[in-house]
Amino acid sequence: MVAPTTAPLSVAAVAASLPASSWYRRQVSQGTKGPIVYAFARQRVTLCKDGLPERTVWLVIKRTRGAEPTYAYSISNAPASTPLRTFVWLRGLRWAVEQCFEEGKTELGMAHYEVRTYPGWHHHMLTTMLAHFFLWHLKLRLGKKSAGADGVPATDHLGRGLTPAEV
């Protein structure tokens, strides 16, 4: 048996050892107190199991900005040629998926099912997500509420919102 050349490191130790040039700053949204900015980095690491190397993956790290940053870690089996901007984009998609599930549970009854089979559960989940997509698309298309009694803004044939004077 050959002894490893380096001892295994924790993900926190890997994050602390990355040079400043490895970090990519990205504004993810506009908050009430200004822009929300995170720093992202990635590193190829080999996972170990029972003290033996198992597989090589990407360690994707997100940290907050400020005097005392907090870190979030994830691993990915993406190809070695995957650019960092792809991982940053995927981190943003995770929020959208979580938002879909949260709104589906609270507003559309996703958590209210009484089925005994996988096809029944799958049908309920799919129907709920399609309803969520439909409502989200409708909300984008109709825009903000108008002063009208029905709450639907008046639009012309191009979808541009009309002012009350134009109507």
Side-chain angles (χ1 to χ4, degrees):
M1 178 176 221
V2 177
T5 57
T6 59
L9 298 173
S10 68
V11 291
V14 171
S17 70
L18 292 175
S21 61
S22 296
W23 294 94
Y24 170 68
R25 286 179 41 184
R26 177 70 181 199
Q27 178 178 332
V28 294
S29 67
Q30 184 65 32
T32 57
K33 298 179 183 177
I36 299 174
V37 179
Y38 292 105
F40 295 89
R42 66 181 178 153
Q43 181 71 35
R44 291 294 278 180
V45 297
T46 301
L47 299 177
C48 296
K49 185 174 184 179
D50 299 326
L52 298 173
E54 185 180 23
R55 61 189 169 133
T56 301
V57 296
W58 282 111
L59 172 64
V60 183
I61 308 162
K62 179 180 89 170
R63 75 175 180 197
T64 58
R65 310 265 304 146
E68 295 183 26
T70 57
Y71 292 83
Y73 309 98
S74 58
I75 60 170
S76 172
N77 62 351
S81 61
T82 306
L84 178 58
R85 69 180 180 274
T86 301
F87 293 116
V88 173
W89 176 70
L90 288 170
R91 288 293 294 220
L93 283 183
R94 179 179 173 159
W95 177 86
V97 171
E98 290 174 358
Q99 183 83 12
C100 174
F101 280 119
E102 184 62 32
E103 289 177 0
K105 288 178 183 177
T106 58
E107 298 175 17
L108 299 172
M110 182 183 276
H112 302 288
Y113 59 89
E114 294 183 16
V115 295
R116 295 176 183 257
T117 64
Y118 178 76
W121 176 85
H122 193 267
H123 179 265
H124 179 74
M125 294 296 128
L126 179 63
T127 306
T128 305
M129 286 185 193
L130 286 172
H132 182 265
F133 175 75
F134 171 76
L135 293 173
W136 173 78
H137 185 70
L138 195 63
K139 181 179 175 183
L140 286 177
R141 191 159 186 201
L142 294 178
K144 295 182 179 180
K145 291 183 179 179
S146 70
D150 59 359
V152 178
T155 60
D156 62 4
H157 66 284
L158 298 175
R160 180 179 60 89
L162 299 176
T163 64
E166 294 173 316
V167 176

